[in-house]
Amino acid sequence: MTSSSQTLPDVGDGSRLYQQLARRLLADLAGGRYAVGDRLPPERELAIENDVSRPTVREAIIALEVQGLVEVRVGSGAYVVRIPGADRQAAEAPRFSITAFELMEARLAIEGEAAALAALHARPDELDELDRLVEQIASENLRDGDAYAVDQQFHMLIAQATRNAALVDSVARLWEMRASAPESRLLLAKARAAKVTPVVEEHRVIAQAIRAHDPAAARAAMRGHLAAVIDHLLFATEEAAVEEARKAAQSTRARFAPGAD
């Protein structure tokens, strides 16, 4: 089954595309287009049908998953687990919080400029601490530790190095929302499950640009890093699916190998 039209209309209400798509999918569910147990079309298909990007589809599916309407199964897809309004009198409306992709957009705008300002004001001890945190991220990655906590320290130190209290508060708030917003928290949990970890070299390039007191290079390095994080989040579930398929293939080969019972 497919969605009711090929592209999302410009509704002019200021809502983002993923919210419009989530509302369309919600209407499809409520209207009987899908039943409990049905699998929604693949992300690529939904993206083509609705003329949107795959991150937009991912955000819409996560919005429905957070509300308990669909379940995303690794390596299989999104399945309907509840029909909206079926267990209550009033029609159900989608609820939206801040998504991981919205947060990354905000971080691109704010933390890129914070890195540029830090390149002008960072003290020698802060530069040394940035280098130490880069190495700690590498160490945590190797031993499956909490590299994300060190990652947060790295970004907060850059904010502090701007000598701008408003920027420190803004970056801190973004990281708080990253951990508390339901849709963002769900996608980040998927990334962790897929073993997506902070990329050491991206952080090293940022630290080097700040140490060189080069605002343009620091801004570009931070923005490049955060753009890459968006890609990491987008493909987190695909990486998990590939790993699941690999394990299944190994299991199948083992069952049918010569000498197997």
Side-chain angles (χ1 to χ4, degrees), residues 147-192:
Y148 285 97
V150 186
D151 184 28
Q152 181 174 354
Q153 294 175 42
F154 178 89
H155 286 272
M156 284 308 307
L157 179 56
I158 290 173
Q160 292 162 14
T162 65
R163 304 288 173 263
N164 185 306
L167 275 175
V168 173
D169 186 70
S170 297
V171 174
R173 179 61 183 141
L174 288 172
W175 279 85
E176 289 172 4
M177 288 188 287
R178 181 179 183 271
S180 62
E183 293 167 34
S184 173
R185 189 169 64 244
L186 177 61
L187 185 53
L188 290 169
K190 292 176 182 291
R192 286 179 184 240

Side-chain angles (χ1 to χ4, degrees), residues 188-207:
L188 290 169
K190 292 176 182 291
R192 286 179 184 240
K195 304 298 184 184
V196 176
T197 57
V199 178
V200 175
E201 189 56 31
E202 292 172 7
H203 291 79
R204 182 172 287 118
V205 171
I206 296 168

Side-chain angles (χ1 to χ4, degrees), residues 84-165:
D87 54 358
R88 61 193 71 189
Q89 293 294 323
E92 194 167 343
R95 301 182 300 275
F96 303 111
S97 66
I98 298 170
T99 73
F101 296 102
E102 288 177 305
L103 277 175
M104 294 312 302
E105 284 183 339
R107 290 184 63 193
L108 271 166
I110 294 173
E111 292 197 50
E113 294 309 309
L117 200 56
L120 296 175
H121 299 297
R123 300 190 308 256
D125 63 306
E126 290 170 328
L127 297 173
D128 291 341
E129 179 64 7
L130 284 176
D131 289 341
R132 189 193 69 78
L133 289 172
V134 169
E135 297 311 314
Q136 188 175 350
I137 290 173
S139 176
E140 296 292 341
N141 282 346
L142 287 174
R143 65 184 187 88
D144 292 329
D146 192 0
Y148 285 97
V150 186
D151 184 28
Q152 181 174 354
Q153 294 175 42
F154 178 89
H155 286 272
M156 284 308 307
L157 179 56
I158 290 173
Q160 292 162 14
T162 65
R163 304 288 173 263
N164 185 306

